[in-house]
Amino acid sequence: MEQRVLKTLEYDKIVALLVDKASSTLGKEWCRQIAPFTNIDQVRHAQQATYEGSEVLRLKGDVPLGGIRDIRGPIQRSRLGAMLAPLELLDIASTIYAGRRLKNFLLDVADNHELPILKYLAEGIEGLRETEQEIKNCINDDGDVMDSASIDLRQIRQEIRSLESRIREKLDSMTRSTSIQKMLMENIVTIRGDRYVIPVKQEYRQHFGGIVHDQSASGATLFIEPEAVVQMNNKLREQRIREEREIEKILYALTVKVGEHVEELKQNVELLAEIDFIFAKANLGYSMKATTPKLNDTGFIRLKRARHPLIDRNVVVPTDVELGQSYTAIVITGPNTGGKTVTIKTIGLLSLMAMSGLQVPADDDSEMAVFSSIFADIGDEQSIEQSLSTFSSHLVNIISILQNMDEKSLVLFDELGAGTDPTEGAALAMSILDFVLEKGARLVATTHYSELKAYAYERKEVINASVEFDVQTLRPTYKLLVGVPGRSNAFAIARRLGLPDEIIEKARSSVSEEDNQVEVMIASLERNKKSAEREREEAEALRRQAEELRRQLEEERQRFAEEKNRMLEKAEEEAHLAVQLAREEADDIIRELRQMRREGVEIKEHRLIDAKQRLGNAVLELEKEKVKKPKAVRAHQIKVGDEVMVTTFNQRGTVLEKVNDKEFLVQIGIMKMKVKRDDMNVVKEASQKPPVQQFTSVKRAKTDVKMELDLRGYNVEDGISEIDRYLDEVLLAGFHSVSIITGNGTGALRKGVHEYLRSHRNVKSFRLGGQGEGGVGATIVELK
């Protein structure tokens, strides 16, 4: 696709909007490189990926894309053996964690929804938990190597702290001495060149001995390392050199560890960049209220209520356009500022967006074609440097288009033939249109020439169109009227503005009778078109009302059936209770009768047994007469993807697959079970989705949930993300109490975790660990 065309149609501005939607520098890089595809399979794959991203956003609202860094430089240097800096290693650990978190998130969503592309990409991300943990065990969030990174480093730093303490104590004792205080400029201990010194007045230099490391700008103050601490400072310097060497040793070991996984890390970076790019496209579509179009390679375009994406949604006028079946060219006529140029730019820009895998701002059921190329000659391209007139510059561009287009091209001409003599310009415009039509390309052109209105009427593959103009307000409505050529409206506008009638009538008499008849015909067509459009909108409104009424009636019928079943079940329970009470009462009576017989009253045994038998038969008869639940009423044939009400459980579920003609496999909550056809009501039909490209994937193995979560080495944000995921898992596992290990540290992580737990919906209470439970380094959480 020519860069000049992309700029003319403002595709670069769409790319800029897309870049802003990416979360990482890697994703932004992918966004900047986006370009239209000319192969329909590539376009379908790109559109499917965007659709899956929009589905995830619809289902989850947000995607965990934080923490992804551009680590391509550091991992390449690790391969060459160059030692990585602490912050570079920290970026690598952050990216590993971000990748694993995103992988788990996407695979969890893919378990219940069709996301073949995102699932395929997520499964390719390597976990590398061990590498991440080794880095975080050695480097804190500020990029400092921790004491715990090695035993030697811990010992060295303990020695450094001990020496620093002894030096400061020695110097503090000197500054507190009344005999020395008069020699000091200030009673403080400071550092110059990594050595502890005190500020001494110039005249007392000889009293202290030692080494002068610095002096004030005036020279009145000398920063002296007294003789008493020189040896200790020397030892401190030696320990710091040992510390630096030990840190280098640790960093080099971590670099080697990273170098062992260069290929996996490079793969992770590419996959994370592509996933970020996909969600950037999905977010852009969401912000534009865009939809996924149907695709074809036959040159057919059908846009329903299409909107130019760079015009404010609150002011843009939607456009309905169809091209490529009944007619292959549209000639749009009408006055300036009426919206002709916006219309052809909308067609061109939305075509480029669709071919790039972006959703388009149009209603559902819109369809876009995949063209081999798109050409556009739009706007004033006069070249002063080349001494070309407006007409000449347009003609040079048109010649290039005619030389390079083919039968699968889309050609857009704005003000074709303008800038020269009207008669010659109109004739040239018609010849150019003939040439394009003979090539078989799809064409949209705008013009002022009235001759082209007749041209469109004479050719069945060409249709007239115009942008509507309101004579009463003297403003364009920007509404495209397909099938109606534009009219000048000059006389009507002049009368509206107050030009005397005699002047208008004299001017009208100068116009040929044929032209007047054409204007009258166009006015009649325009009225008929508007009337038909109004009737169509009214019919559409009635259809929507009927559908809404049908939906409400169906919901009412469903509620009635549920209420009926509930009342029947309640009556059944009450009947059972009454029978149970009657049975207990009968048993009591029989016991009393037997007692009476034992006391001498004559009552035959068989009569007692017969009475109880009749009572039992009454109970059995009641159970046989239970009111059966009504059979499921289905509005259509049940199919995979339908949302159904399982009447036997009074629960909603989703049909996963057809087992046989009478049974289906249904997902109800976390359970999958076979349900008979007659025990289901269809609540919501399966939505139509774009074609899904198949990928080979491997199912993840489920892992056991542990009773504790170790967050040592995490920052607060990542720790909270881990807690959220972990609590979901332990609740599903049925745990009532778990332990979260934060370690001692600065206490920032523990504080952040406690603040989060206070507001968590599933946390009943929490406390610090006791003896044998980890103490303050652990938090015991009681779940609801």
Side-chain angles (χ1 to χ4, degrees):
M1 210 68 65
E2 293 182 3
Q3 289 300 315
R4 187 187 59 78
V5 174
L6 298 180
K7 186 171 181 62
T8 297
L9 293 175
E10 300 179 287
Y11 181 78
D12 55 324
K13 295 181 180 179
I14 299 297
V15 174
L17 293 176
L18 180 63
V19 170
D20 288 341
K21 298 297 182 183
S23 299
S24 66
T25 55
L26 295 166
K28 292 181 186 296
E29 189 174 306
W30 271 63
C31 292
R32 292 188 187 97
Q33 294 172 358
I34 191 173
F37 296 105
T38 56
N39 180 282
I40 191 168
D41 291 332
Q42 291 177 307
V43 176
R44 281 177 174 153
H45 182 270
Q47 283 287 356
Q48 171 66 20
T50 308
Y51 171 79
E52 290 181 18
S54 65
E55 278 292 279
V56 173
L57 291 176
R58 181 182 66 82
L59 293 166
K60 297 297 182 180
D62 197 10
V63 181
L65 288 166
I68 301 173
R69 307 282 187 265
D70 186 356
I71 57 173
R72 290 173 294 183
I75 61 178
Q76 185 60 29
R77 286 192 288 108
S78 73
R79 168 179 276 172
L80 301 175
M83 187 184 73
L84 299 181
L87 289 176
E88 291 176 322
L89 289 164
L90 210 57
D91 282 347
I92 291 172
S94 174
T95 303
I96 292 173
Y97 172 74
R100 193 170 62 253
R101 180 178 59 185
L102 182 59
K103 174 179 182 176
N104 293 335
F105 172 83
L106 291 177
L107 291 180
D108 284 343
V109 180
D111 282 344
N112 298 311
H113 301 86
E114 285 291 330
L115 304 172
I117 294 176
L118 287 175
K119 183 178 181 181
Y120 176 78
L121 295 174
E123 286 175 339
I125 298 174
E126 297 292 338
L128 301 178
R129 184 186 293 271
E130 183 180 344
T131 302
E132 175 210 348
Q133 205 59 50
E134 286 193 27
I135 293 173
K136 289 187 174 181
N137 287 340
C138 295
I139 303 172
N140 64 21
D141 294 341
D142 298 323
D144 298 323
V145 179
M146 297 185 291
D147 295 358
S148 57
S150 74
I151 296 174
D152 289 343
L153 183 61
R154 185 188 299 276
Q155 292 175 344
I156 291 169
R157 286 183 171 171
Q158 286 176 348
E159 181 65 23
I160 288 173
R161 286 190 284 271
S162 176
L163 284 168
E164 286 177 336
S165 177
R166 287 160 54 196
I167 292 169
R168 292 193 70 91
E169 285 178 5
K170 183 69 176 176
L171 293 177
D172 283 342
S173 67
M174 295 175 67
T175 58
R176 286 194 298 269
S177 171
T178 54
S179 60
I180 293 178
Q181 283 179 356
K182 65 180 181 180
M183 305 177 191
L184 302 178
M185 189 63 70
E186 291 182 83
N187 297 331
I188 60 170
V189 177
T190 186
I191 295 175
R192 290 292 186 276
D194 289 337
R195 299 179 78 89
Y196 286 91
V197 297
I198 53 177
V200 179
K201 295 177 182 177
Q202 171 70 34
E203 56 269 27
Y204 296 107
R205 161 71 183 87
Q206 299 303 324
H207 179 81
F208 285 91
I211 303 169
V212 177
H213 287 280
D214 196 6
Q215 67 178 10
S216 65
S218 64
T221 304
L222 300 176
F223 294 93
I224 296 176
E225 178 185 355
E227 186 72 33
V229 296
V230 169
Q231 291 302 319
M232 285 190 288
N233 265 331
N234 288 341
K235 288 182 181 179
L236 181 60
R237 179 60 184 158
E238 290 172 3
Q239 292 301 321
R240 283 181 173 152
I241 291 172
R242 287 185 62 202
E243 179 190 26
E244 290 173 3
R245 289 174 179 169
E246 183 61 22
I247 289 173
E248 288 177 359
K249 178 180 174 183
I250 292 166
L251 295 177
Y252 185 75
L254 292 174
T255 301
V256 171
K257 185 69 175 177
V258 170
E260 294 173 356
H261 301 287
V262 169
E263 294 304 320
E264 295 98 317
L265 288 168
K266 286 174 64 177
Q267 175 177 295
N268 282 8
V269 166
E270 284 298 308
L271 293 172
L272 291 172
E274 185 171 356
I275 292 172
D276 190 9
F277 170 65
I278 288 172
F279 282 107
K281 293 192 295 178
N283 271 304
L284 181 64
Y286 176 80
S287 67
M288 292 180 176
K289 297 191 180 302
T291 61
T292 301
K294 296 179 181 178
L295 297 170
N296 68 77
D297 57 358
T298 61
F300 173 62
I301 294 176
R302 179 177 61 230
L303 288 169
K304 293 188 174 182
R305 294 181 58 78
R307 306 171 296 279
H308 195 289
L310 300 177
I311 301 177
D312 188 344
R313 286 202 308 268
N314 297 320
V315 299
V316 67
V317 177
T319 300
D320 292 337
V321 179
E322 190 168 309
L323 175 68
Q325 276 190 348
S326 302
Y327 43 86
T328 59
I330 301 175
V331 176
I332 307 174
T333 52
N336 284 330
T337 70
K340 301 191 304 297
T341 302
V342 171
T343 298
I344 63 172
K345 278 191 171 184
T346 300
I347 295 170
L349 182 55
L350 266 57
S351 295
L352 291 173
M353 290 173 64
M355 292 165 62
S356 303
L358 298 173
Q359 296 175 320
V360 296
D363 284 1
D364 289 331
D365 204 35
S366 292
E367 187 164 352
M368 301 299 296
V370 178
F371 296 103
S372 62
S373 53
I374 296 177
F375 298 99
D377 179 62
I378 299 173
D380 186 357
E381 299 183 8
Q382 181 172 345
S383 172
I384 296 175
E385 293 180 1
Q386 297 179 10
S387 300
L388 295 175
S389 67
T390 300
F391 175 74
S392 299
S393 64
H394 278 295
L395 198 56
V396 169
N397 190 26
I398 290 170
I399 291 170
S400 174
I401 291 173
L402 299 179
Q403 290 173 342
N404 293 288
M405 71 178 188
D406 58 27
E407 69 279 2
K408 292 190 174 181
S409 298
L410 172 64
V411 180
L412 307 172
F413 289 137
D414 188 30
E415 300 297 348
L416 183 60
T420 186
D421 177 75
T423 303
E424 293 180 353
L428 189 59
M430 287 187 283
S431 295
I432 292 171
L433 293 178
D434 281 339
F435 184 87
V436 175
L437 292 173
E438 287 173 6
K439 283 283 188 178
R442 302 297 182 262
L443 169 69
V444 183
T446 70
T447 181
H448 279 300
Y449 296 136
S450 58
E451 291 87 345
L452 267 67
K453 301 174 188 176
Y455 171 88
Y457 270 114
E458 294 169 359
R459 287 161 176 77
K460 64 179 182 179
E461 67 270 30
V462 185
I463 192 168
N464 272 307
S466 61
V467 285
E468 189 179 48
F469 188 88
D470 191 336
V471 179
Q472 298 301 317
T473 62
L474 302 181
R475 292 179 181 275
T477 66
Y478 303 104
K479 189 173 184 179
L480 185 68
L481 301 175
V482 178
V484 179
R487 54 196 180 106
S488 66
N489 295 306
F491 294 150
I493 293 172
R495 178 174 283 109
R496 179 76 176 142
L497 292 175
L499 192 68
D501 287 345
E502 59 268 23
I503 297 177
I504 294 173
E505 292 305 320
K506 185 176 182 180
R508 192 187 297 278
S509 65
S510 301
V511 179
S512 67
E513 183 65 26
E514 183 180 341
D515 288 341
N516 278 325
Q517 289 177 354
V518 169
E519 285 294 314
V520 171
M521 179 195 69
I522 292 174
S524 176
L525 281 173
E526 188 173 332
R527 285 194 299 271
N528 292 339
K529 178 76 174 178
K530 291 169 68 174
S531 176
E533 183 68 18
R534 187 165 54 251
E535 290 175 0
R536 186 194 66 79
E537 290 175 355
E538 290 173 356
E540 180 66 19
L542 288 172
R543 183 188 64 80
R544 287 195 297 267
Q545 290 176 6
E547 288 183 352
E548 178 64 18
L549 182 60
R550 185 189 64 80
R551 185 189 64 78
Q552 292 176 359
L553 288 173
E554 180 62 24
E555 289 180 355
E556 196 66 32
R557 186 199 65 79
Q558 184 70 26
R559 282 196 298 269
F560 176 77
E562 291 174 359
E563 181 65 17
K564 179 181 177 183
N565 289 338
R566 188 188 65 78
M567 293 178 68
L568 288 172
E569 289 173 359
K570 182 179 179 182
E572 196 172 309
E573 290 175 1
E574 291 175 351
H576 273 297
L577 179 59
V579 170
Q580 182 66 28
L581 292 173
R583 176 177 288 169
E584 291 174 358
E585 184 178 358
D587 287 340
D588 291 341
I589 292 170
I590 290 172
R591 279 196 298 272
E592 290 177 6
L593 290 173
R594 284 177 175 162
Q595 180 64 30
M596 290 171 63
R597 188 180 62 179
R598 282 195 295 269
E599 293 175 353
V601 180
E602 182 64 26
I603 299 174
K604 295 184 179 180
E605 180 71 22
H606 73 275
R607 293 183 62 186
L608 296 176
I609 295 174
D610 183 59
K612 188 169 184 178
Q613 183 66 41
R614 287 199 305 273
L615 183 59
N617 290 338
V619 173
L620 290 173
E621 191 65 28
L622 178 64
E623 292 178 350
K624 288 179 183 179
E625 291 300 322
K626 286 180 182 177
V627 179
K628 295 183 178 180
K629 293 180 177 62
K631 294 293 184 181
V633 178
R634 297 175 300 282
H636 69 106
Q637 187 71 21
I638 293 175
K639 61 181 182 296
V640 173
D642 283 352
E643 187 175 342
V644 296
M645 172 65 73
V646 181
T647 56
T648 50
F649 299 102
N650 197 27
Q651 293 289 328
R652 287 196 178 197
T654 303
V655 178
L656 300 179
E657 64 178 276
K658 181 178 180 181
V659 179
N660 52 49
D661 290 337
K662 294 185 178 180
E663 284 188 322
F664 291 79
L665 185 64
V666 180
Q667 177 91 37
I668 303 175
I670 63 172
M671 298 185 296
K672 295 179 183 179
M673 60 180 65
K674 292 180 181 179
V675 180
K676 292 182 179 180
R677 176 193 295 273
D678 292 338
D679 291 332
M680 290 186 290
N681 288 326
V682 175
V683 176
K684 183 179 179 183
E685 297 181 20
S687 59
Q688 295 296 321
K689 297 184 180 180
V692 176
Q693 186 164 338
Q694 298 298 320
F695 292 89
T696 302
S697 61
V698 179
K699 279 284 184 182
R700 294 180 299 146
K702 299 293 183 182
T703 57
D704 293 334
V705 182
K706 297 182 178 179
M707 293 288 291
E708 64 180 25
L709 173 65
D710 192 345
L711 296 180
R712 286 175 292 183
Y714 283 73
N715 59 32
V716 174
E717 180 183 357
D718 291 342
I720 288 174
S721 296
E722 281 293 300
I723 291 173
D724 196 52
R725 175 194 60 76
Y726 175 69
L727 291 181
D728 288 342
E729 291 179 355
V730 298
L731 282 167
L732 289 174
F735 293 174
H736 298 291
S737 175
V738 293
S739 175
I740 298 177
I741 301 173
T742 56
N744 295 326
T746 62
L749 177 60
R750 180 171 61 250
K751 181 180 178 182
V753 167
H754 285 186
E755 289 178 356
Y756 177 70
L757 292 175
R758 284 191 185 95
S759 59
H760 197 285
R761 62 186 182 281
N762 294 323
V763 174
K764 181 178 180 182
S765 63
F766 62 89
R767 60 179 175 80
L768 292 174
Q771 187 69 25
E773 293 179 324
V776 296
T779 298
I780 310 303
V781 182
E782 298 290 333
L783 301 174
K784 293 181 179 178

